[in-house]
């Protein structure tokens, strides 16, 4: 695992339709439109944020977590003149002993159904396997979250099982989680 690739300079990951890059305060309106929508977090352990100043402070927390090398959040942008932020994708819980990481993602409801989540996971997966040299990438998904499961399956992740009553998620209590993962040896770019 080469975490320096992540933490020496904030990595920008470019794809065909999307670019994953750093979230700045200048993106506040787009970030707020994601966090202000309860439907976005229906299947997440995150509570919606209805105060724009709270969300502005959160952007500072993204930077703090990055500097602590504990978590990295990318904005998912449509490049070009609009530079619109359509979602957020993150990597966290790096485990150097087994060379793995957990990912998560959430998108503006207005941009659902356009393949942005699938492409963002594809871009991040390729980067984490090829550049960071991870061996395993995993994601935990609430069983009812069919859309997220489809995104992972399209990207070559396999369902490994269900963790029954295994976690406490904010606003949800004790939840079951399905575990999806992909190993580097199974990755097909």
């Amino acid at each position: 695992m080469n975490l320096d690739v992540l933490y020496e300079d904030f990595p920008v990951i470019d794809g065909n339709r999307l670019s994953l890059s750093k979230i700045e305060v200048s993106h506040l309106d787009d970030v707020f439109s994601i966090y202000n929508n309860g439907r976005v977090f229906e299947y997440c352990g995150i509570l919606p944020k209805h105060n724009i100043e709270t969300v502005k402070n959160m952007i500072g927390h993204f930077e703090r977590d990055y500097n602590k090398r504990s978590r990295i959040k990318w904005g998912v942008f449509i490049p070009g003149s609009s530079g619109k932020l359509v979602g957020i994708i993150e990597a966290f819980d790096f485990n150097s002993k087994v060379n793995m990481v957990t990912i998560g993602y959430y998108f503006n409801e207005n941009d659902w159904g356009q393949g942005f989540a699938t492409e963002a996971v594809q871009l991040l997966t390729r980067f984490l396997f090829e550049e960071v040299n991870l061996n395993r990438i995993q994601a935990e998904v609430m069983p009812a979250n069919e859309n997220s499961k489809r995104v992972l399956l399209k990207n070559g992740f396999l369902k490994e099982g269900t963790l029954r009553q295994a976690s406490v998620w904010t606003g949800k209590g004790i939840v079951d989680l399905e575990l999806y993962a992909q190993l580097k040896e199974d990755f097909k770019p």
Side-chain angles (χ1 to χ4, degrees), residues 1 8 12 22 27 57 60 74 104 109 127 130 133-134 140 145 147 150 154-155 162 177:
M1 177 184 319
E8 281 187 359
V12 174
K22 187 174 182 181
H27 306 121
N57 289 335
W74 287 268
E109 184 178 9
F127 176 78
E130 293 180 354
N133 199 29
L134 288 168
E140 297 172 341
N145 192 347
N147 291 334
R150 269 194 299 280
K154 284 181 193 176
N155 276 289
T162 301
L177 296 171

Side-chain angles (χ1 to χ4, degrees), residues 72-141:
I72 182 168
K73 287 186 192 263
W74 287 268
V76 179
F77 295 93
I78 299 174
S81 59
S82 75
K84 180 182 174 194
L85 182 143
V86 295
I88 296 171
I89 191 165
E90 61 183 328
F92 56 97
D93 289 345
F94 289 92
N95 183 330
S96 60
K97 290 180 181 174
V98 292
N99 201 14
M100 67 174 261
V101 71
T102 301
I103 63 169
Y105 44 88
Y106 28 97
F107 284 78
N108 189 320
E109 184 178 9
N110 295 332
D111 298 302
W112 290 357
Q114 297 182 51
F116 294 144
T118 299
E119 184 175 338
V121 169
Q122 178 185 53
L123 289 170
L124 184 57
T125 300
R126 176 187 297 246
F127 176 78
L128 292 172
F129 281 140
E130 293 180 354
E131 303 298 323
V132 183
N133 199 29
L134 288 168
N135 184 56
R136 176 184 168 87
I137 303 169
Q138 68 180 31
E140 297 172 341
V141 182

Side-chain angles (χ1 to χ4, degrees), residues 24-92:
E24 306 279 359
V25 174
S26 62
H27 306 121
L28 178 60
D29 290 340
D30 288 340
V31 175
F32 182 69
S33 69
I34 292 171
Y35 276 96
N36 190 37
N37 184 338
R39 289 197 56 202
V40 170
F41 300 107
E42 182 177 358
Y43 301 114
C44 294
I46 299 171
L47 294 176
K49 309 291 185 273
H50 303 298
N51 180 307
I52 198 161
E53 285 302 313
T54 301
V55 174
K56 184 177 181 182
N57 289 335
M58 287 174 49
I59 293 172
H61 295 164
F62 299 167
E63 177 84 12
R64 177 201 65 203
D65 291 345
Y66 176 77
N67 289 332
K68 287 170 46 180
R69 297 178 142 220
S70 64
R71 174 182 300 253
I72 182 168
K73 287 186 192 263
W74 287 268
V76 179
F77 295 93
I78 299 174
S81 59
S82 75
K84 180 182 174 194
L85 182 143
V86 295
I88 296 171
I89 191 165
E90 61 183 328
F92 56 97

Side-chain angles (χ1 to χ4, degrees), residues 142-160:
M142 289 183 75
N145 192 347
E146 295 298 330
N147 291 334
S148 188
K149 292 191 279 189
R150 269 194 299 280
V151 165
L152 293 165
L153 292 170
K154 284 181 193 176
N155 276 289
F157 284 70
L158 300 175
K159 179 181 175 184
E160 294 186 333

Side-chain angles (χ1 to χ4, degrees), residues 142 164-169 172-176:
M142 289 183 75
R164 299 180 312 138
Q165 300 177 15
S167 190
V168 177
W169 278 16
K172 306 288 187 266
I174 297 172
V175 295
D176 293 345

